[in-house]
Amino acid sequence: MKTKINFQLPILLVDDDPVVLEVSMTALESEGISNVVTLSDSRKLVHFLESNPVSLIILDLVMPHVSGMELLPVLIRDFPHLPVIVMTSNDDLDTAVRCIKAGATDYITKPMDVERLLLSVEKALQVNELSTENRNLREYLLNDRLEYPSAFESMVTTSKKMRAIFQYIEVIAKSDQPVLITGETGVGKELIARAIGELSGKRGAFVTVNAAGLDDNMFSDTLFGHKRGAFTGADQAREGLISTAAGGTLFLDEIGDLNEMSQVKLLRLIQENEFYPVGSDIIKRTDARLLVATNQDLTKLIASNKFRKDLYYRLCAHHIHIPPLSERREDIPILLDHFLEKASKSLNKPKPVPSREVVALLSTYQFDGNVRELHAMVFDAVARYSTGLLTLESFAGLFANVNTSLDVALPQPSKELDESIYEFFGRFPTIKEVEDYLISSAMNLTSGNQRSAAMLLGIARQTLSKRLSNPA
């Protein structure tokens, strides 16, 4: 196995037996963990840690001068951020329980099993990484700040939900663990992925692969490349996109469309950081950061045996779910203004001013295509626009879909809602009083335009006209 955790600070081995130190160091180095330091005198441990930061401590419990059992509570108290794996020749369950209760991350016995040691180190480093991210995230949320707001400039929003996502991204961006990005079509999953890539600190390329429509052969060739003669027409070797992303980020979109064989190959890539080019028996390694995205519910695909559960758990080390536009309607006015600006420049037209009914109707529209749909809708409207206010007449698609696309979320009955109704009307209103209020508000919002007001109310224009003509 190869450890999946990359770290800059060394692992510290503390043992009075030089043979154990040598064997442990060799085992770790054989698995690619070369950043290891050793200490044979337990009396020097605390002083060493005060001036030498490390990522993890592997501590022998039985040592002369100061035992590991004596040192463990001191380490947990003074260096709580450091995971400690205890190691001893005493295979005693009571000792293991005492160590874990005292704060040790794990417990291994001598003679040391190399595989067990490596698994314990990987687990401890993963826990430490997630713990650090959680601490940083709490700090970000409490301070409500962004360290690198420029990374999110492509995403126009005032939504608190989106800001929380941005804060989370800043915390996990430098992690080497995969990131699963979910959300409906058009919410901006690739923009989120690019922000992670920008903040990751990786200098390599950001490479995008769309898995939709790729069979296993195409997936393997696209991602891993092939050797010369691997198949008919393979006249020369070709590097895959995973090699293009070396030292950078690979963004795999539409991950839910992968077939089973491709899922197995992706799982190996994540677990081992290794792959085989098509037709080759020579293994290659990669250091590319993997980001994946889907608009499908992977848990439902797992339930129907269309997606591997083990792959899902590997992918969602970090999970970002982007809310649909219908759950952050406060973004619609600023997105409308942003797209009007872009469209007017693109089409070489003066930026139009939207009418009140346009803003009102868009604020209640469902937007099944989310931000992408609003973008297309505004560009089409500006193309149709000539002079004056930008009215509903320019939004041709809006009229065609209005009966099925208006989606005003009604609040659930509650004591607070009942009290607000009483406060607003001075008493509990009749249905007619509520109707009169809604019609009056819709007419005010649309400056008296009956067709627009009827669209807001979800009724036919003729019905509204009749209601206005016969208010009784």
Side-chain angles (χ1 to χ4, degrees):
M1 61 167 283
K2 298 285 183 182
T3 181
K4 296 296 295 176
I5 303 295
N6 294 326
F7 53 94
Q8 295 179 337
L9 300 178
I11 290 176
L12 174 62
L13 300 174
V14 184
D15 198 304
D16 63 302
D17 187 338
V19 175
V20 172
L21 290 177
E22 182 66 27
V23 171
S24 301
M25 179 181 288
T26 301
L28 292 171
E29 289 178 342
S30 69
E31 294 298 323
I33 306 176
S34 58
N35 201 1
V36 180
V37 294
T38 63
L39 191 66
S40 58
D41 189 341
S42 59
R43 294 171 295 182
K44 299 179 180 179
L45 176 58
V46 174
H47 179 70
F48 177 88
L49 291 175
E50 288 173 347
S51 54
N52 298 275
V54 300
S55 61
L56 167 70
I57 302 171
I58 300 177
L59 177 70
D60 185 27
L61 285 184
V62 181
M63 292 182 288
H65 308 303
V66 184
S67 71
M69 285 299 294
E70 294 175 275
L71 283 169
L72 181 58
V74 176
L75 295 175
I76 300 303
R77 183 194 66 206
D78 296 344
F79 306 93
H81 61 288
L82 285 179
V84 180
I85 299 173
V86 294
M87 183 166 56
T88 181
S89 55
N90 181 17
D91 189 7
D92 178 11
L93 182 60
D94 290 338
T95 302
V97 170
R98 288 204 309 275
C99 290
I100 298 301
K101 283 186 175 181
T105 303
D106 205 352
Y107 177 95
I108 54 181
T109 59
K110 301 176 184 178
M112 180 187 61
D113 179 271
V114 174
E115 189 74 10
R116 176 73 176 84
L117 172 64
L118 294 170
L119 287 172
S120 183
V121 167
E122 182 172 357
K123 172 188 170 185
L125 290 171
Q126 285 176 334
V127 169
N128 190 43
E129 181 182 26
L130 292 174
S131 177
T132 300
E133 290 169 359
N134 287 335
R135 286 197 305 272
N136 291 341
L137 183 57
R138 285 195 297 270
E139 181 184 347
Y140 270 67
L141 294 176
L142 288 172
N143 294 329
D144 191 28
R145 61 188 174 91
L146 289 175
E147 290 288 339
Y148 307 100
S150 61
F152 308 101
E153 287 179 349
S154 61
M155 289 165 276
V156 179
T157 180
T158 60
S159 167
K160 291 183 178 179
K161 293 180 180 179
M162 294 300 293
R163 185 173 181 83
I165 288 173
F166 297 164
Q167 291 171 323
Y168 180 66
I169 288 172
E170 288 194 334
V171 170
I172 60 101
K174 294 186 183 298
S175 166
D176 284 316
Q177 295 298 299
V179 180
L180 172 63
I181 307 169
T182 58
E184 295 178 3
T185 297
V187 292
K189 295 187 287 294
E190 183 168 346
L191 293 178
I192 290 291
R194 288 187 178 277
I196 296 172
E198 181 178 341
L199 293 173
S200 68
K202 292 184 174 292
R203 297 182 178 180
F206 182 94
V207 179
T208 299
V209 180
N210 192 318
L214 295 182
D215 62 22
D216 183 58
N217 291 331
M218 293 176 64
F219 173 80
S220 299
D221 189 35
T222 300
L223 211 62
F224 307 135
H226 61 257
K227 65 174 289 187
R228 181 181 179 183
F231 50 84
T232 303
D235 298 329
Q236 57 184 3
R238 185 178 70 83
E239 295 281 1
L241 293 181
I242 187 70
S243 296
T244 306
T249 303
L250 179 71
F251 174 51
L252 190 56
D253 203 1
E254 305 296 352
I255 191 73
D257 290 347
L258 284 182
N259 63 41
E260 185 174 358
M261 286 299 297
S262 298
Q263 291 178 34
V264 172
K265 293 174 182 177
L266 182 62
L267 180 61
R268 175 182 173 80
L269 179 70
I270 296 171
Q271 288 178 327
E272 307 296 339
N273 275 352
E274 297 174 343
F275 66 95
Y276 290 95
V278 176
S280 174
D281 57 1
I282 299 176
I283 201 166
K284 289 191 173 184
R285 291 187 59 79
T286 178
D287 60 354
R289 171 80 175 280
L290 182 66
L291 312 177
V292 301
T294 182
N295 58 12
Q296 302 186 56
D297 186 336
L298 294 185
T299 58
K300 290 183 179 179
L301 294 181
I302 291 170
S304 59
N305 294 318
K306 294 180 180 179
F307 201 85
R308 294 179 63 96
K309 185 183 295 185
D310 50 359
L311 175 58
Y312 172 74
Y313 289 130
R314 282 287 185 175
L315 290 174
C316 64
H318 301 297
H319 182 192
I320 297 172
H321 180 73
I322 309 173
L325 192 55
S326 60
E327 293 181 10
R328 46 188 177 101
R329 295 187 181 277
E330 64 272 27
D331 282 345
I332 293 176
I334 63 166
L335 283 168
L336 173 61
D337 183 72
H338 174 69
F339 291 145
L340 286 173
E341 181 76 29
K342 286 185 62 177
S344 61
K345 289 180 179 179
S346 174
L347 299 170
N348 197 25
K349 287 187 172 184
K351 179 183 175 182
V353 176
S355 63
R356 292 176 65 191
E357 58 265 28
V358 164
V359 177
L361 190 57
L362 289 178
S363 296
T364 61
Y365 188 73
Q366 174 62 19
F367 287 111
D368 293 329
N370 292 287
V371 179
R372 186 181 299 150
E373 182 181 2
L374 176 58
H375 176 274
M377 189 181 289
V378 172
F379 268 69
D380 182 66
V382 174
R384 298 170 185 272
Y385 165 78
S386 54
T387 59
L389 288 176
L390 183 68
T391 63
L392 288 173
E393 280 69 19
S394 296
F395 290 83
L398 204 54
F399 293 109
N401 300 320
V402 69
N403 290 331
T404 58
S405 296
L406 286 175
D407 180 40
V408 181
L410 296 177
Q412 295 298 312
S414 65
K415 181 180 179 182
E416 291 77 12
L417 179 60
D418 292 343
E419 290 175 349
S420 65
I421 290 175
Y422 273 100
E423 183 179 345
F424 185 80
F425 285 94
R427 54 186 169 74
F428 196 85
T430 64
I431 291 178
K432 183 178 183 305
E433 287 171 335
V434 174
E435 284 183 354
D436 288 341
Y437 174 76
L438 290 175
I439 290 172
S440 175
S441 296
M443 291 295 288
N444 286 334
L445 276 172
T446 59
S447 301
N449 186 311
Q450 289 189 22
R451 180 171 61 172
S452 301
M455 293 172 72
L456 284 176
L457 292 165
I459 60 177
R461 186 186 62 79
Q462 293 83 353
T463 302
L464 176 60
S465 180
K466 183 177 180 181
R467 181 71 172 76
L468 291 171
S469 301
N470 300 287

